[in-house]
Amino acid sequence: MMSEKQPLLKIDELRISFNTYAGKVQAVRGVSLTLHAGEVLAMVGESGCGKSVTAQSILQLNPVPPTVVEGGSITLEGKDLLKYSDAEMRKIRGHEISMIFQDPMTSLNPTTRVGKQITEAILKHQKVSRKEAYSRAVDMLRMVGLSNPEQRMRQYPHEFSGGMRQRAMIAMALVCNPKILIADEPTTALDVTIQSQIVDLLLDLRQKLGTAILIITHDMGVVADIADRVAVMYAGVVVEQGSVRDLFYHPRHPYTWGLLDSIPKLDHSDEPLIPIQGTPPDLLNPPKGCPFAARCDYCMAVCHDHLPEETEAGEGHTVRCWLQHEFAPHVNNRFEREDK
Ligand code: SF4
């Protein structure tokens, strides 16, 4: 029996690499995260920071080879998923944990009617009659906001618009009422209006079904709209983690400041957007010190040689930066704001 405070999902010191002809790419380098029942955790960072690799490792979706899990654990309600066999993982996927992707065609079969796909997903995991499964599929399509669900059941994915396909994919992911939905860049390919509708839909479904959501995004605007907590990743490491309020009102890591500079401001909309200069380090040969050192305006000598420890900046708010050291020079944090 889980205690109330015990997380639903716990990732502890996860390390993943890929064997390539050029050598070993250290894609995930000691990531620790928790996800509690019913909460929305956003993993944010640039392409290649390890967020999707981390998320896919929860369902063992990274191909082996070249993927090697070098260490750590991923526990779902206390059970270590990394020790599960393929057969055991098939029971977890779609039933306890579901995943949706940026491109719905990754999950939807273009050759089969949408209704049949959702009905089969129910029959795979639940002992119900085909008629009951069909009726649940119709209800689910209605719940995700598709009009005329009976008619939609008979259509193929290519007859849907991009936004409708995303809704159908969410319906298929949630139809067995999983405890966790992993959403990998679910709004990236959509236009802004549809993006915001999908974010609203996910929040509405979380409310109705109690599903915890792990959302992967590079978009701080989406984070602000949907997340309860945020993990900022850089070069395979979580550099800052905290509540959405911590990250937007009291961010402490220079990389988080860079991400905030690159989105329209909440209250200074006329300020120019400033992209982060430079590129992330090569993870074939990651730096021994802070991975952000080469791009950081506040870099000190120690940053090049030693990876900073994770330190607490407040309850549930952790930061990996030498600026947090008690003897570090004071830096004016222009993102610090009064709590409203
Ligand atoms: Fe910048 Fe140093 Fe902090 Fe890294 S540890 S973010 S280089 S100040």
Side-chain angles (χ1 to χ4, degrees):
M1 187 85 174
M2 286 206 311
S3 73
E4 207 154 284
K5 290 244 165 107
Q6 192 177 346
L8 182 58
L9 182 80
K10 185 165 190 258
I11 299 179
D12 198 26
E13 281 299 314
L14 184 68
R15 284 181 292 113
I16 296 176
S17 51
F18 299 123
N19 286 325
T20 69
Y21 288 116
K24 188 185 276 190
V25 176
Q26 298 173 42
V28 175
R29 304 187 297 139
V31 164
S32 297
L33 298 169
T34 54
L35 178 67
H36 287 84
E39 85 171 343
V40 181
L41 171 67
M43 288 169 75
V44 66
E46 290 160 292
S47 299
C49 70
K51 54 192 193 306
S52 289
V53 177
T54 302
Q56 294 197 14
S57 68
I58 297 167
L59 286 174
Q60 294 186 16
L61 293 178
N62 295 306
V64 180
T67 310
V68 181
V69 178
E70 306 274 4
S73 62
I74 300 176
T75 49
L76 174 68
E77 298 180 313
K79 299 164 287 187
D80 189 350
L81 296 182
L82 291 180
K83 299 206 169 102
Y84 272 36
S85 64
D86 283 351
E88 288 170 318
M89 279 313 295
R90 277 197 291 277
K91 289 187 193 149
I92 297 284
R93 289 185 204 120
H95 186 49
E96 301 210 46
I97 306 175
S98 272
M99 187 153 184
I100 58 172
F101 300 89
Q102 179 179 333
D103 176 9
M105 284 305 199
T106 315
S107 301
L108 295 172
N109 177 349
T111 68
T112 306
R113 292 178 205 278
V114 169
K116 182 161 190 231
Q117 295 186 49
I118 301 177
T119 307
E120 295 295 338
I122 299 170
L123 291 171
K124 188 171 162 195
H125 292 293
Q126 296 184 352
K127 288 193 173 66
V128 293
S129 67
R130 185 164 285 277
K131 195 170 162 210
E132 167 69 16
Y134 187 90
S135 147
R136 280 197 206 175
V138 172
D139 288 347
M140 201 66 213
L141 286 185
R142 188 174 292 115
M143 192 182 274
V144 298
L146 285 172
S147 57
N148 303 323
E150 284 88 358
Q151 183 196 336
R152 303 287 176 217
M153 290 284 283
R154 293 189 292 275
Q155 291 183 309
Y156 289 91
H158 70 266
E159 296 177 81
F160 284 24
S161 67
M164 285 162 64
R165 276 202 287 270
Q166 201 66 323
R167 285 175 191 270
M169 186 168 68
I170 292 169
M172 192 150 86
L174 294 182
V175 79
C176 292
N177 203 6
K179 297 180 177 110
I180 299 171
L181 175 69
I182 301 172
D184 192 352
E185 302 273 7
T187 62
T188 303
L190 305 170
D191 72 44
V192 179
T193 315
I194 310 287
Q195 262 187 26
S196 116
Q197 288 173 4
I198 295 294
V199 165
D200 288 348
L201 172 65
L202 288 172
L203 286 173
D204 183 47
L205 292 171
R206 186 264 292 257
Q207 187 80 19
K208 284 184 182 141
L209 304 172
T211 320
I213 299 174
L214 175 59
I215 185 165
I216 295 132
T217 181
H218 62 274
D219 184 336
M220 290 296 268
V222 170
V223 172
D225 285 341
I226 198 169
D228 299 314
R229 284 193 306 115
V230 190
V232 180
M233 280 191 74
Y234 187 79
V237 175
V238 175
V239 293
E240 182 158 12
Q241 190 168 178
S243 68
V244 73
R245 182 155 288 273
D246 291 332
L247 268 286
F248 282 91
Y249 285 81
H250 314 289
R252 298 290 184 94
H253 196 283
Y255 178 60
T256 312
W257 298 342
L259 290 177
L260 292 170
D261 258 336
S262 64
I263 58 163
K265 305 295 171 293
L266 298 174
D267 47 3
H268 303 282
S269 52
D270 51 344
E271 283 184 20
L273 305 186
I274 308 166
I276 304 171
Q277 298 298 325
T279 51
D282 181 359
L283 293 181
L284 267 173
N285 189 16
K288 61 179 175 171
C290 170
F292 194 55
R295 303 170 81 183
C296 180
D297 291 341
Y298 311 96
C299 184
M300 301 168 278
V302 66
C303 305
H304 290 293
D305 285 332
H306 298 280
L307 180 67
E309 293 283 318
E310 205 171 69
T311 52
E312 290 236 348
E315 199 186 336
H317 183 186
T318 58
V319 187
R320 223 181 240 279
C321 175
W322 283 113
L323 290 177
Q324 296 303 301
H325 193 279
E326 59 180 317
F327 298 131
H330 177 74
V331 166
N332 180 33
N333 179 357
R334 64 199 166 79
F335 291 94
E336 184 72 28
R337 289 161 216 264
E338 289 281 313
D339 276 329
K340 283 184 186 153

